[in-house]
Amino acid sequence: VLPLECRTLVPVRRAVIEEATGTWCSACPRGFMAFEALSKIYGESFIGIAYHGGNDPMTGEWDFPFDVEYFPSAVLNRGDVIDPYYGADRSQSQHFAIRPMVEECVAAPAAAAIYAEAYWADESSQRIDVKASIAFVDDQKGDDYKVAFILLGNGLHGEGDLWVQYNSSAGLPADQLGPILAPLGELDRKIEGMKFNDVVLIGKHNGGVAGLLPAEIAANTPVSVGYSFDGSEAVSSFALTAGESLIQDKTKLEAVVLLLDKNGRVVNAAKAHVADQSGVASVTVDSDASVESSEMFDFSGRRIVAGDGPGIRVERLSDGSVRAVKCLD
């Protein structure tokens, strides 16, 4: 007789890729293209986080969460250093080799479920409040975990040489680049007017905050944690743009919550669009923007079919923005 284990909580597992990138790095656009493709394929099961560094106006006051020896480099759920497009293929011969790594990650069971929401504290304040609910499948000790918080911006752009993205794929044939990177071959060596997504604006506590979880946590019992971002801290640290705010559009901000184990690995994660106080995101989009993907999640973070009850509808738009709407019935 085979043993049978019944669980009342089956969390959605999310893959988190954090990359080191920069506008000056001509190889780095492949990470941007990979993130965009993975977002379309996996929706809210994929979370991309882009740390800009070096002579880049989007470089901020934070530390990379891994040892960066080259650009672009990345980590999946804070594991080994890999490439954001080629994954673990150091020969760089397997196109989009990051995808099977993400596929394996989201298919694996998760030890905890996370649901997060974020909203402006008030209309005149710079403060963004984040609330997260975490429930473990098994009994746990809170001291074994930390919770990290990161604020992201989408659609960042600017004029002038500082905002030019260098592109080493310019002029290369599509059959050499593969379908994901092929559009880069049609662009110039210097890409002007690019809009950058998943950009880290505030990551002061990206290494995790200890002591937020109770000492003893019972299985299937949600635990609430809170955190606040100070919008005034979202500023450039690059010498030529030092002190300039990185919050260009308050309707295109997202808060990421990471649950980290004692080894610093990501156990699971959640991402929430920063909404107004009503809990419903107020988003202004370009007139020609369309909904590229739409998914429904219950308040435990599990994907559901629209119309099956209250939940959160998450929509990713063609202009790079994301909006979330709370559905009560």
Side-chain angles (χ1 to χ4, degrees), residues 13-195:
R13 178 72 181 275
R14 299 183 179 91
V16 179
I17 296 183
E18 297 169 278
E19 69 159 348
T21 186
T23 55
W24 51 271
C25 168
S26 62
C28 286
R30 67 173 179 254
F32 176 90
M33 300 300 286
F35 275 23
E36 294 296 298
L38 291 169
S39 293
K40 291 180 180 179
I41 295 169
Y42 295 102
E44 290 302 300
S45 291
F46 168 73
I47 298 176
I49 300 175
Y51 294 86
H52 285 248
N55 299 329
D56 185 312
M58 289 169 281
T59 300
E61 297 285 352
W62 38 254
D63 295 321
F64 288 107
F66 60 98
D67 293 332
V68 179
E69 297 181 0
Y70 55 89
F71 284 66
S73 60
V75 287
L76 172 59
N77 283 0
R78 298 203 174 171
D80 296 334
V81 176
I82 56 176
D83 186 275
Y85 175 79
Y86 292 107
D89 176 26
R90 295 190 177 277
S91 69
Q92 298 188 359
S93 60
Q94 302 178 48
H95 287 296
F96 205 29
I98 191 65
R99 179 176 180 178
M101 298 181 69
V102 172
E103 183 74 32
E104 180 181 6
C105 179
V106 299
I114 304 181
Y115 168 74
E117 60 181 11
Y119 50 90
W120 292 99
D122 57 64
E123 294 182 358
S124 60
S125 175
Q126 287 277 359
R127 196 178 85 237
I128 297 171
D129 288 341
V130 181
K131 294 182 179 179
S133 178
I134 301 173
F136 288 89
V137 173
D138 300 308
D139 293 345
Q140 298 289 337
K141 294 187 178 299
D143 291 343
D144 290 337
Y145 298 91
K146 293 182 179 180
V147 185
F149 302 88
I150 303 170
L151 183 67
L152 304 181
N154 293 293
L156 271 69
H157 62 282
E159 298 180 353
D161 292 341
L162 295 180
W163 287 89
V164 169
Q165 173 65 61
Y166 283 77
N167 173 29
S168 61
S169 297
L172 296 180
D175 58 352
Q176 179 178 338
L177 294 173
I180 302 297
L181 301 185
L184 295 176
E186 300 176 1
L187 299 176
D188 295 334
R189 187 175 67 87
K190 296 182 178 181
I191 305 175
E192 298 182 2
M194 186 168 172
K195 293 186 177 181

